[in-house]
Amino acid sequence: VDVLKKSHQPDVATMLLESLAKRDSASADVMAQLGSLYETQQRFGEARAIFTKELETQRQPSPDSLKRLARIAYKMGDLEEALGYLAHARDLEPQNAATHFLFGLICIDLKLPPEAEDSLEQAVRLDPQNPFYNYALGSVQLGRHNPDGAIQHFRTFRDIKPQDPRGSFALGVAYFEADRKSVV
């Protein structure tokens, strides 16, 4: 199957794996490969069904399985379900900054700024030098009328990625908003 995927014949690989799955002779590894192929082919409903079934067979769900399901749910536009998977993964791995970050991003999409800010703050607390976590948190804080907090995070982003013009621009906007806020 790997040879077929590498030789750009994913349809043939999918057919082979599907035939194994139909005969109930597919191992968990084969099912995972089939789910991954479905995801690659943007057959998200089928991928989700396979990975959900895999999750149900696990005594304790793995954070990786939950994050994979969250990614597929997100691609399907099911943001609430994606958030649920990430919440479960976050409970299992509370020290994983990336999971907090992804949770925060989906909260932004769902227009839940307090929850987004809380989760992004946790991501920054766990990985303070990640420029993207800082930028996202600064953006949420700016949107919540906290330009002073945003300045700190945009400055961190700019210091870590000085070649990226978004940092200087966002920092300028935050300073402008802080100045405007002090006048009002």
Side-chain angles (χ1 to χ4, degrees):
V1 173
D2 288 333
V3 172
L4 292 172
K5 285 194 274 187
K6 288 178 184 172
S7 65
H8 305 289
Q9 296 183 21
D11 294 337
V12 176
T14 302
M15 284 182 5
L16 287 171
L17 293 175
E18 284 174 336
S19 69
L20 287 173
K22 285 179 185 170
R23 291 189 224 140
D24 292 328
S25 57
S27 66
D29 184 50
V30 166
M31 294 305 289
Q33 287 182 41
L34 181 57
S36 294
L37 277 170
Y38 283 153
E39 184 180 2
T40 302
Q41 296 167 352
Q42 297 185 6
R43 294 168 63 181
F44 301 125
E46 293 158 298
R48 189 174 182 180
I50 285 177
F51 292 131
T52 300
K53 192 174 189 179
E54 174 194 353
L55 188 67
E56 292 167 355
T57 65
Q58 298 173 357
R59 217 174 338 129
Q60 171 71 24
S62 76
D64 288 339
S65 296
L66 291 163
K67 286 186 269 190
R68 180 176 46 222
L69 277 165
R71 182 181 65 238
I72 291 169
Y74 183 84
K75 289 177 180 179
M76 293 176 74
D78 190 349
L79 301 181
E80 290 86 2
E81 193 71 22
L83 198 62
Y85 289 128
L86 286 173
H88 196 163
R90 193 174 64 167
D91 290 342
L92 294 172
E93 283 185 325
Q95 299 303 311
N96 187 316
T99 304
H100 288 282
F101 175 69
L102 294 172
F103 188 92
L105 292 183
I106 292 177
C107 286
I108 292 168
D109 286 345
L110 288 170
K111 311 243 182 305
L112 302 169
E115 292 82 358
E117 186 173 14
D118 289 346
S119 201
L120 293 169
E121 282 175 347
Q122 186 70 356
V124 168
R125 187 186 66 71
L126 292 167
D127 188 359
Q129 294 304 304
N130 185 300
F132 303 107
Y133 299 175
N134 278 282
Y135 191 90
L137 179 54
S139 297
V140 168
Q141 288 177 332
L142 193 58
R144 297 197 70 209
H145 309 291
N146 178 5
D148 294 329
I151 288 169
Q152 168 192 346
H153 298 293
F154 290 141
R155 187 179 294 135
T156 300
F157 178 88
R158 188 210 49 206
D159 291 348
I160 295 170
K161 297 184 73 61
Q163 73 285 1
D164 191 327
R166 293 176 295 183
S168 295
F169 179 77
L171 190 55
V173 170
Y175 275 121
F176 176 80
E177 288 298 317
D179 187 52
R180 196 172 79 132
K181 186 177 177 184
S182 68
V183 172
V184 175

